[in-house]
Amino acid sequence: MSKTITTAKVVFLDRSTMLPDVVLRQLSFSHEWIEYEATRAEEVSDRIADAHVVITNKAPVTAKAIATARNLKLVAVAATGTDMVDVAACAARNVLVSNIRDYALDTVPEHAFALLFALRRSLLAYRDSVRAGRWVESGQFCYFDYPIRNIAGSVLGIIGDGALGRAVADLARAFGMRVLFSSYKGVQGMGPLYTPFEDVLRLSDAITIHAPLTPATRNMIGAPEFALMERKPILINTARGGLVDEIALGEALRCGRISGAGFDVATVEPPSADHPLMQLTGLPNFILTPHVAWASQEAVQSLADQLIDNIEAFWNGTAKNVVRGAH
């Protein structure tokens, strides 16, 4: 960072995307800190016009906003995904982009397994039926309205072999599952440790997605892929909305091509009342959570600490977690 800047202006565009009781430690260098709870797309340009450092989680930092931010040196993304930042425009202006890495290695796998256990054992369906009086009226000590299957001995297909995918695999093996790592759709020759994408769809009792959303992965699971799922697996998505065709998902659930689905993400967040995933929430074998797989207290504090570390490192001339193509 240029030593000619005596006091840096740091603008946090959407503080409300972090837990309110998470501590953001004070930066060690001279700075002015401006914090907004939320920022609409049309407000970004004005709010970052004279900022040296911009922090964003979901507020979009577009090419137009970057072009008018005359002092901008760093966009510090308070998340792993950087799709809300025009990285190419930043590179053209010599603006560095940093992101958060490997902070969710416990919380996301745990959330994925929470969804998997709840669906594999029909926990929510049974809870709701008890609330509705079914047990009281059953006339015996238990009833069997919904399927219950063991996790142990089943096959888990993992799409995505990054840090999160590998952490999920460790949990799966501890629970006695057989793990298949999928090669990406349409990709061949990834080596003997990978199972072809189509074979993972055919052989898995449960499938969990831990892949980024790119043009190549968008809608990588749609109607043709659901048709290959011979074992009627449970499908878990804690990665990104858009990896699964949401209309095809609804059809697969309703006609029994899959046994259930647990999603923490949607193509539009927050979704409207008529969003395809919202239309599935009445089904006993579908769980939708509001993009909180990442949001354990411990994980968000780790994220906040790493965010400040990234800004400090940049200011001290030792930039870290630099997003490729942004410098």
Side-chain angles (χ1 to χ4, degrees):
M1 186 69 182
S2 173
K3 300 306 181 183
T4 62
I5 300 172
T6 56
T7 301
K9 183 173 182 178
V10 181
V11 177
F12 195 163
L13 292 173
D14 48 2
R15 175 63 174 82
S16 66
T17 59
M18 284 188 178
L19 295 172
D21 54 350
V22 159
V23 177
L24 277 166
R25 73 176 187 272
Q26 187 169 347
L27 293 166
S28 62
F29 54 84
S30 178
H31 68 281
E32 175 189 8
W33 181 279
I34 298 176
E35 188 174 285
Y36 300 97
E37 286 299 293
T39 299
R40 297 192 302 271
E42 62 271 20
E43 297 174 321
V44 172
S45 292
D46 286 344
R47 290 183 173 182
I48 73 171
D50 57 353
H52 298 96
V53 176
V54 170
I55 303 170
T56 184
N57 188 324
K58 298 300 180 186
V61 181
T62 64
K64 180 180 178 181
I66 293 162
T68 57
R70 54 187 177 274
N71 296 329
L72 187 59
K73 303 297 182 185
L74 171 68
V75 177
V77 180
T80 299
T82 58
D83 50 296
M84 79 298 296
V85 178
D86 192 321
V87 174
C90 284
R93 279 279 315 278
N94 201 29
V95 173
L96 185 143
V97 179
S98 65
N99 69 340
I100 308 298
R101 303 179 188 182
D102 296 342
Y103 74 99
L105 294 182
D106 294 320
T107 184
V108 170
E110 287 181 12
H111 196 92
F113 265 88
L115 293 171
L116 180 55
F117 269 106
L119 290 162
R120 189 79 170 164
R121 304 193 67 84
S122 298
L123 292 184
L124 298 189
Y126 276 110
R127 182 204 61 182
D128 291 346
S129 69
V130 169
R131 282 180 173 176
R134 173 74 175 94
W135 200 7
V136 173
E137 299 163 358
S138 66
Q140 62 179 21
F141 79 100
C142 69
Y143 55 94
F144 311 105
D145 290 5
Y146 304 100
I148 298 174
R149 300 292 304 277
N150 286 348
I151 292 288
S154 62
V155 177
L156 179 65
I158 302 176
I159 301 174
D161 67 342
L164 288 176
R166 293 193 297 272
V168 168
D170 290 341
L171 284 179
R173 295 186 185 105
F175 284 120
M177 303 183 81
R178 178 187 170 205
V179 173
L180 300 177
F181 272 111
S182 171
S183 59
Y184 287 119
K185 181 180 178 180
V187 176
Q188 304 297 326
M190 291 185 67
L193 298 181
Y194 296 88
T195 302
F197 180 77
E198 292 78 8
D199 289 348
V200 168
L201 300 182
R202 291 189 183 97
L203 298 172
S204 296
D205 299 298
I207 297 169
T208 181
I209 305 173
H210 301 282
L213 179 63
T214 67
T217 61
R218 184 175 294 279
N219 288 335
M220 67 176 170
I221 295 181
E225 288 72 35
F226 283 116
L228 295 175
M229 296 181 183
E230 296 175 359
R231 299 181 66 84
K232 298 182 178 181
I234 289 169
L235 179 62
I236 306 295
N237 184 8
T238 56
R240 284 288 183 268
L243 294 169
V244 178
D245 182 325
E246 293 166 335
I247 300 298
L249 172 68
E251 294 171 353
L253 278 168
R254 291 189 175 99
C255 74
R257 289 196 192 99
I258 59 175
S259 298
F263 274 52
D264 186 55
V265 289
T267 49
V268 178
E269 296 175 350
S272 61
D274 61 352
H275 187 277
L277 294 189
M278 293 299 295
Q279 301 304 302
L280 303 176
T281 55
L283 298 178
N285 59 344
F286 179 71
I287 301 174
L288 180 63
T289 54
H291 204 142
V292 290
W294 64 281
S296 72
Q297 181 76 34
E298 296 87 350
V300 180
Q301 186 60 62
S302 176
L303 182 156
D305 293 342
Q306 191 179 145
L307 175 68
I308 299 302
D309 287 345
N310 286 349
I311 297 171
E312 295 268 12
F314 171 75
W315 191 265
N316 293 328
T318 56
K320 57 190 288 188
N321 292 348
V322 176
V323 177
R324 187 176 300 173
H327 63 101

